[in-house]
Structure formats: structure tokens, C-alpha cells
């Protein structure tokens, strides 16, 4: 252990002398209050330390002690349903010790040591094991079977393993390696800045179904993919992330509130235990891990919070689960980087952000992916990352948004004007995109319908044509448009209001299965295509737009998901019948 003394304090940056034996990224305890910090720069025996707690009152001469280990998280049973701060301190345990205000220097283990877990072995004595192999199962919640894996670097033969109730730090197995006998517990530690290893990365060719029509049909994200949700204040970034956390096709959700307002994390805490998971009927909190680093907590800890969250997410991915990670928001994390860079007197890049902002963001997002895990019986796991970006004034030309867009493959551009019109999700269909469409088209064609991508392309074309026609309408008025163009405007309005808009408070509309999404898209386009044919045969556009079946198309999204195929058939027949009455068949 290296010991030194404080030479200088500048906000969250502490410079210490006498640390020649310390290493980069070592965790240090600063002053007699033992505040947690991390070495981020070394010059001879001088260490620049990023302190993750409030530093007011610290002064030169106070002791600094390195613990000789990098910043790591504890991984084991007890993670699910917990709420941690940015450096994985359990906030509920801290509250019992310190009350409602987070005090400095509180030391509490991340996982409860007194709680006993029922461990069921899945290997026998004399079995050969290697890193990533599952040696046993702990039922952490009704929804999550926690798989106890052999830690990295441990190869050998099982010498002892037995069923029973254990706390996380008790020995559950002994592995005889070439050099020694290694005791394994339910707990393992992993440095947060190092990505967990895997055997192989798989192609992102399966979508992460979210039940949100604008996402799944128009701008899908792949399982193991990365998406950015940029938008100005009040455009609904957090609400979109909450909705995805509730409904995305993921086994585990890790939600990181990085520098967000406390009331937004309170919403998650109040809602998730009450929300029932539609797949299992259990509270959503029973498959969720929360990392809360709210805006009133120390700024520097934001920098650690997204690494803490993604390391926990990788751990569950290695068990073979599909994990969705929500980072809200990476702009606040970048602000922490900017502050530390300024304190270190580094040469600033654009708008004061450090020149390495892009590479740090890339290191974070590249830890996502669909992978085959380590171990003899390799498991397929996926880690999908959805990062909110909060550009000041909604200007996405600023550095954090631009650096993010160079890395991610899905851009869901939020629009404040849509949010103010109560259009949810407020994702602008004209400037959003997904680069996964080509790799996912096979899946949609096989699992949903061979013509899925064709209908999707038609819908996007109608929305783009609408934007162009609206410019003409502003100049010369709607009466100057041809009947077909007026019909096109109405079809696009139907797409916007009936397909893209969702009611998060309606049980049948808040989540739409992908097959029902296709049927709704088909109904909207069937009406449009038949109406175009009717106009060619002399039908009046006013007559077509006043047909009663249009209301039924709009109400299809509120139909019980189980009855959607039957209802689609009824409405489809009505469309053909009603549109057929709008032109005089005797003329043909």
C-alpha cells in the first residue's frame, strides 16, 4: 500500500505527494474521513486523484492511502432490485446509517453480507472447470436465476462443492488448479474500466422488440445494439427510456440515472415496484438494477457511474441473459469529464470538452453486443445500450451529440414540438434513422411477414412526401393540390395519428406486439392503395375520407392484442366493401 499526503485540493481533484508505489486507476482513501478517490494521473511520486465525494474542508497535509486495487464492483446475488450510487454503494444501507442525506466517507459493502442465499450446485466433485463455467444456481428473485460462474483465470478440478445456504462471501466450492487450491464464493469482483471477456461476438441480426411502433417498425435496434436518444429539455428522453425499460424484450434492465434530477429517479423507484412485468406477472423491480447518481451528488462520481452500470450489465450478459442498459444521460457524464479535464489543465477540445471525449464514449458503447460467453457450455447473451443525450438548447451539433452519433447505429431524434402536442413517443420520423435495418430485414421477413420491409418503405415514403406537400400547402393552399396528393396527405396523417402515436396509459396500446404492428401498418396502406385506385376510377376524395371504416382503422390499435388477427380480417373486408361503393361501376 502506498501512503502520501495532500499537496493541493481543487474541487474534486486532489493532488497527493509520496505515492511512487501507486498505480494508475488505483482506488485511494483520502484524509481521515476516508473519502473514495481514484488515481487518474501520475507524475513521479505525485498522483492526481479524482475524488468521488464532496471535498469541501480538505486541506494540504491530510493523509492519502492507496488500497492497491482498481475501482471494482462486487458481482453476486443481491444486485437485482438494489439501488446503488455511482460507485456501487447501496443507498438503502447508507440511509439506515446516515439518514436521508448522503454523508461523506460512509463505508458499506455493496452486497449484503448477512443475507443467506440457497446455492444449488450444477457440477460435481472431480469435474474439470474453466472460466465462465456455471458451478451453481441461486434463485435471486422469482424472475432471475443467478448463475454462479468460475472467475476469469481459474482452470482446474472441483475438489469440494456442496449445496446449502451461504452468504455471498462464504466458500461454496474449492477448485484445485495447477498451482493452488482456489476457494470460490458467490461473490466476485471486476474492475469497472475493463470490459469482461467473451468467446465470440455475433452479428446483430435479431431485433430488440420494444412494443413501440415507431421504434420496432421504422427505426429498430438490434439485440446487442446501441442507440442514442438526443433531445432538448422536455422532449421526453427519460419517458422513452422508462417505457423501453418496462417493455423491451430483455431479461434484465440496468438503469443508470447519471446526473439526472432526483425526482426522475424517484419516478423509477415508485413506478417499477408497482409495474407488473407482462411476461411473468411479477413486479418489474425483480429484474432491475438501479444506479442513481443524481444531480445533487458529487459530479466526479458521474464519471464512474456508467462504468459501474455497464460492468453489472456485462456480468448478467455472461450468464446468458438479454440485458438492456439505459444511460440517462451521457451528457451529464461528459460534463464530469470536462470538469476533471479542466482541473488537470489539459488542452481543451471543442466547447471545453477534453480532446479524448469521442474515444471515451466509444470505449463505453463498444462494450455492448450479442456474444457467446466463456466456458465449455457457451451461452448466448446480449447487452443493448440506449443512451440519452441532453444537448443544451436541443442543438445536436454540440460535441457530445456528434461524438455519440459517430459511434451508435440508431438515432431516435426527439422533437420538443411533438412532445408539446402530446405525441408520444416524440420521435421525429424525418430525422431519425437505424443502420440495423439491412441486417434485420431477414428476421422481419421470416418471423413477421415476407412483405414487412416493403410496407415499411412505403410508409416512410408517404411521411417524406407529406413533408414536401406541406411546404406547397403553406404557399398555395390545400385546394391547389390534386386529389391523389390530398389523399397522400390524409394517408400520412393516418400513419402519424393512428400508427406512430401511442397511448402509454392504455393497456392494449402501450405495448404492441410486432405482428399487430404489421397488421395496423397493412390496414393504413390497404385503405390508401384502394383509395388511389378508386380516384383513378372517378371517386371523390371527400367521399373516401368520410368513410366510416376510417375510424375503425384508427381504433384498431386499441383492440385486444389476442384478437387483432380476427379484427384485422373484419376491417380489411370493410375497407374493400366501402371503398368499392365510392365509384360508379357502370362507367367501367
Amino acid at each position: 500500500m502506498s501512503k502520501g499526503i495532500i499537496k493541493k485540493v481543487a474541487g474534486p481533484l486532489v493532488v497527493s505527494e509520496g505515492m511512487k508505489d501507486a498505480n494508475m486507476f488505483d482506488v485511494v482513501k483520502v484524509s481521515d474521513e476516508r473519502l473514495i478517490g481514484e488515481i487518474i494521473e501520475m507524475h513521479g511520486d505525485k498522483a492526481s486523484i479524482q475524488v468521488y465525494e464532496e471535498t469541501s474542508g480538505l486541506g494540504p497535509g491530510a493523509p492519502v492511502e492507496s488500497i492497491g486495487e482498481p475501482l471494482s464492483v462486487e458481482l453476486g446475488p443481491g444486485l437485482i432490485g438494489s439501488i446503488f450510487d455511482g460507485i456501487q454503494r447501496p443507498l438503502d444501507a447508507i440511509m439506515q446509517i446516515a439518514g436521508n442525506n448522503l454523508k461523506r466517507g460512509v463505508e458499506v459493502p455493496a452486497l449484503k453480507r448477512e443475507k443467506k442465499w440457497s446455492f444449488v450446485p450444477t457440477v460435481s466433485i472431480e469435474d474439470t472447470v474453466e472460466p465462465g463455467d456455471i458451478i451453481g444456481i441461486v434463485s435471486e428473485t422469482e424472475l432471475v436465476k443467478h448463475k454462479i460462474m468460475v472467475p476469469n483465470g481459474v482452470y482446474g478440478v472441483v475438489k469440494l462443492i456442496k449445496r446449502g445456504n451461504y452468504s455471498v462471501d462464504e466458500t461454496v466450492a474449492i477448485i484445485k488448479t495447477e498451482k493452488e487450491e482456489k476457494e470460490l464464493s458467490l461473490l466476485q469482483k471486476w474492475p469497472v474500466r475493463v470490459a469482461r471477456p467473451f468467446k465470440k461476438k455475433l452479428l446483430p441480426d435479431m431485433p430488440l422488440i420494444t412494443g413501440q411502433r415507431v421504434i420496432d417498425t421504422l427505426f429498430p435496434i438490434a439485440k446487442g445494439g446501441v442507440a442514442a436518444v438526443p433531445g432538448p429539455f422536455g422532449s421526453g428522453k427519460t419517458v422513452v427510456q422508462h417505457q423501453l425499460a418496462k417493455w423491451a424484450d430483455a431479461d434484465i434492465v440496468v438503469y443508470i440515472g447519471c446526473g439526472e434530477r432526483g425526482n426522475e429517479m424517484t419516478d423509477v423507484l415508485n413506478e417499477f415496484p408497482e409495474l407488473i412485468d407482462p411476461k411473468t406477472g411479477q413486479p418489474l423491480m425483480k429484474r432491475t438494477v438501479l444506479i442513481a447518481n443524481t444531480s445533487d451528488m458529487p459530479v466526479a462520481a458521474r464519471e464512474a457511474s456508467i462504468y459501474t452500470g455497464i460492468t453489472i450489465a456485462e456480468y448478467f450478459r455472461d450468464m446468458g441473459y438479454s440485458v438492456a442498459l439505459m444511460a440517462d444521460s451521457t451528457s451529464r457524464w461528459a460534463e464530469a469529464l470536462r470538469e476533471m479535464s479542466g482541473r488537470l489543465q489539459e488542452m481543451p477540445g471543442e466547447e471545453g470538452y477534453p480532446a479524448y471525449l469521442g474515444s471515451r464514449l466509444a470505449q463505453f458503447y463498444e462494450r455492448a453486443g450479442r456474444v457467446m460467453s466463456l466456458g465449455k457450455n457457451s451461452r448466448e447473451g446480449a447487452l443493448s445500450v440506449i443512451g440519452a443525450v441532453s444537448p443544451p438548447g436541443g442543438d445536436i451539433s454540440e460535441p457530445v451529440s456528434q461524438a455519440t452519433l459517430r459511434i451508435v447505429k440508431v438515432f431516435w431524434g426527439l422533437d420538443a414540438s411533438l412532445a408539446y402536442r402530446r405525441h408520444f413517443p416524440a420521435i421525429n420520423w424525418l430525422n431519425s434513422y437505424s443502420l440495423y435495418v439491412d441486417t434485420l430485414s431477414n428476421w422481419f421477413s421470416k418471423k413477421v411477414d415476407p412483405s414487412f420491409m416493403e410496407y415499411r418503405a412505403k410508409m416512410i415514403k408517404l411521411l417524406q412526401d407529406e413533408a414536401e406537400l406541406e411546404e406547397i400547402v403553406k404557399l398555395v393552399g390545400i385546394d391547389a393540390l390534386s386529389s391523389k396528393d390530398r389523399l397522400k396527405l390524409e394517408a400520412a396523417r393516418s400513419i402519424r395519428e393512428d400508427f406512430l402515436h401511442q397511448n402509454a396509459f392504455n393497456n392494449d396500446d402501450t405495448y404492441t406486439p410486432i405482428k399487430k404492428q404489421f397488421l395496423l401498418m397493412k390496414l393504413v396502406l390497404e385503405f390508401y392503395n384502394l383509395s388511389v385506385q378508386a380516384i383513378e376510377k372517378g371517386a371523390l376524395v371527400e367521399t373516401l375520407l368520410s368513410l366510416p371504416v376510417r375510424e375503425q382503422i384508427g381504433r384498431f390499435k386499441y383492440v385486444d392484442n389476442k384478437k387483432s388477427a380476427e379484427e384485422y380480417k373484419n376491417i380489411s373486408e370493410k375497407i374493400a366493401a366501402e371503398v368499392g361503393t365510392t365509384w360508379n361501376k357502370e362507367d367501367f
Side-chain angles (χ1 to χ4, degrees), residues 84-106:
F84 301 106
D85 74 352
I87 44 178
Q88 212 206 2
R89 293 183 302 178
L91 294 178
D92 57 341
I94 289 175
M95 193 180 83
Q96 288 167 10
I97 297 169
N100 287 337
N101 292 321
L102 194 60
K103 287 191 179 153
R104 299 196 301 183
V106 178

Side-chain angles (χ1 to χ4, degrees), residues 96-159:
Q96 288 167 10
I97 297 169
N100 287 337
N101 292 321
L102 194 60
K103 287 191 179 153
R104 299 196 301 183
V106 178
E107 288 189 50
V108 184
L111 300 178
K112 292 182 174 70
R113 296 296 193 262
E114 67 281 1
K115 186 163 183 182
K116 299 278 186 184
W117 299 95
S118 175
F119 172 74
V120 180
T122 54
V123 294
S124 308
I125 291 169
E126 298 305 318
D127 282 0
T128 306
V129 293
E130 58 181 74
D133 280 349
I134 293 168
I135 59 165
I137 305 273
V138 168
S139 291
E140 188 168 354
T141 69
E142 288 92 328
L143 307 186
V144 179
K145 292 265 184 287
H146 197 111
K147 295 161 189 174
I148 308 302
M149 295 173 286
V150 176
N152 210 31
V154 177
Y155 296 83
V157 177
V158 179
K159 193 87 195 261

Side-chain angles (χ1 to χ4, degrees), residues 229-245:
V229 195
F233 175 79
S235 60
K237 292 181 297 293
T238 303
V239 183
V240 166
Q241 288 205 315
H242 286 197
Q243 191 75 346
L244 296 181

Side-chain angles (χ1 to χ4, degrees), residues 164-235:
N165 293 332
Y166 299 94
S167 59
V168 287
D169 53 354
E170 286 180 311
T171 301
V172 296
I174 296 174
I175 309 294
K176 190 175 193 310
T177 66
E178 284 183 4
K179 294 180 181 171
E180 59 180 341
E181 288 191 351
K182 190 94 178 162
E183 294 184 354
L184 302 187
S185 66
L186 303 178
L187 173 78
Q188 51 177 279
K189 284 191 167 185
W190 190 266
V192 296
R193 294 181 190 276
V194 179
R196 283 178 65 89
F198 50 81
K199 205 171 267 181
K200 178 176 129 187
K201 210 161 205 171
L202 303 172
L203 262 178
D205 57 7
M206 282 169 66
L208 180 75
I209 300 297
T210 65
Q212 311 308 299
R213 294 186 289 269
V214 65
I215 291 173
D216 294 345
T217 299
L218 297 192
F219 313 112
I221 175 176
K223 261 191 183 176
V226 287
V229 195
F233 175 79
S235 60

Side-chain angles (χ1 to χ4, degrees), residues 5 7 14-20 39 41-49:
I5 55 164
K7 187 76 180 162
V14 167
V15 178
S16 165
E17 277 186 332
M19 304 287 288
K20 64 176 183 295
I39 296 175
E41 205 174 78
M42 292 287 298
H43 292 289
D45 73 336
K46 277 190 183 170
S48 298
I49 298 160

